[in-house]
Amino acid sequence: MKRKLLIISILISIIFAGCHNTSVKTNKKATDKKANDIVFIFKNVPAYKNFTFPSGISSGSFPPSLISYINNNGLMWGYNPPQKVDTFTIKNIQTDYLEVLYKFQGLENIYYLFRKGDTIEFTCGKNLYPHVKRYTSEKLTKQYNFQANIKDRQSKFGFESFTLLTFGPNRKLNKAKVEHPDFYNTTLKRLHVDFVSVDTLRKQFKNYIRNYQNRLDSLHRKNELSETYYKYYSYLLKRKKTVAAIYDNLYARKSNLNQIDTLYRGFFNDSLIHYISYDRMVNAFIWNVLQYDKNVKLFRSSDGSNSDSRQIFDNINILKNIPPKTKNLLRFYCLRDIIENFSVEDIHKYLSEYTQLTHDSVKANYLIKKYNLNFKTSNDLLLKNEQGTRITFKNLL
């Protein structure tokens, strides 16, 4: 009897031990999974899609989401909180750090570099500028808020001088005031309340750069800024100086396309391909440089005249001194434009060429799904009913 009780006791111990080990393994998997996520908590989120100027004109910049980032598939993704207080999780991040773009008042892009496993709280004060709090780490909280504490950061309307220097409508107002004063003083007179002098902005930006660099170096010397964040904020400063120089050339009396091209190429670096700030630079290169190639013609579309992205795609194939991953990103954005503006035959041709050149079936399949591409239905319009069933316009008739 005692022998039987002993055996039963041993079996019960083994069963409980097994259950305990299973529980530990399950909890460990859940913890490991959470360690690859970033959780965002939004509090008092203000309007972020557009900014209304004193003249009443409302304007915003792309991307329109409150936060945007490059996901694991290399695609730009965004999230819009449906209410002022909200929580959002980016799951299973495959890199140690993730760069996130926060949209400030519809126009200003604020870039952050967060560590996976973070829980981040965004709150906005009276000036609407976001304060970032990293739970469990005061040191990281200070590093994440580095840009908010630059001396003389804000210019007119609460934006940085950089934001207004690179805001197209303001540059056009400045250009019109100098080159076409009669037109400015009559037709554009009502917009003068939105006007900010480029000369003033340049002086403010010069001071901002100096204050930025001084603070960056000071915090680094005091070990209050890690090597990772010292390099990251140095990169952002280089980016701002490059973009400001590009805009000065774009809106000069005689735009110097070669100089703009050189500025972009000097900035390109495939190691930055997972940053959304880099993605935006690569995309802008198409429309600020490549579309102006002499063999790229304009075509008429429903929203006016556009550059022929088929020719731009062809030209990318022979570009020199462009890193391979950056070149593939350029191809992707051209392919997307081809899908939106050209025939099924063109789409099929360039989609096939894209996959052959890049070996990137993930992005190709993303575009096929997004635009409901189905080459078996020829050039017919593809429709979807309320139940999600697809039908061609021809069959509908």
Side-chain angles (χ1 to χ4, degrees), residues 37 67 72 86 101 161 174 215 314 363 369 376-377:
D37 301 343
I67 64 165
N72 291 335
D86 191 39
L101 183 164
S161 53
N174 275 267
R215 179 172 173 76
D314 294 337
K363 285 184 180 176
K369 185 176 180 180
K376 292 180 182 178
T377 60

Side-chain angles (χ1 to χ4, degrees), residues 267-371:
F267 184 82
F268 287 157
N269 183 339
D270 270 357
S271 69
L272 305 169
I273 201 74
H274 57 288
Y275 283 175
I276 187 169
S277 57
Y278 185 75
D279 178 279
R280 297 294 81 210
M281 286 285 285
V282 174
N283 183 268
F285 179 64
I286 297 173
W287 311 116
N288 290 336
V289 176
L290 299 186
Q291 73 162 332
Y292 295 113
D293 190 281
K294 59 184 178 181
N295 71 343
V296 175
K297 297 179 174 58
L298 293 175
F299 73 94
R300 286 283 178 184
S301 67
S302 58
D303 57 349
S305 297
N306 292 291
S307 297
D308 193 328
S309 46
R310 298 168 301 180
Q311 292 174 320
I312 297 174
F313 189 103
D314 294 337
N315 290 345
I316 289 170
N317 295 335
I318 57 174
L319 282 179
K320 295 180 180 179
N321 303 319
I322 301 288
K325 291 180 182 178
T326 300
K327 185 177 280 193
N328 286 343
L329 187 57
L330 290 168
R331 289 183 174 120
F332 170 76
Y333 280 121
C334 280
L335 177 62
R336 188 185 66 179
D337 199 66
I338 290 168
I339 291 171
E340 290 179 352
N341 292 292
F342 293 96
S343 69
V344 169
E345 288 75 17
D346 285 322
I347 294 169
H348 190 278
K349 174 188 173 183
Y350 284 97
L351 188 59
S352 176
E353 192 170 338
Y354 173 82
T355 53
Q356 289 174 13
L357 290 167
T358 67
H359 308 290
D360 184 358
S361 60
V362 174
K363 285 184 180 176
N365 287 331
Y366 163 76
L367 291 174
I368 289 170
K369 185 176 180 180
K370 179 181 179 181
Y371 292 98

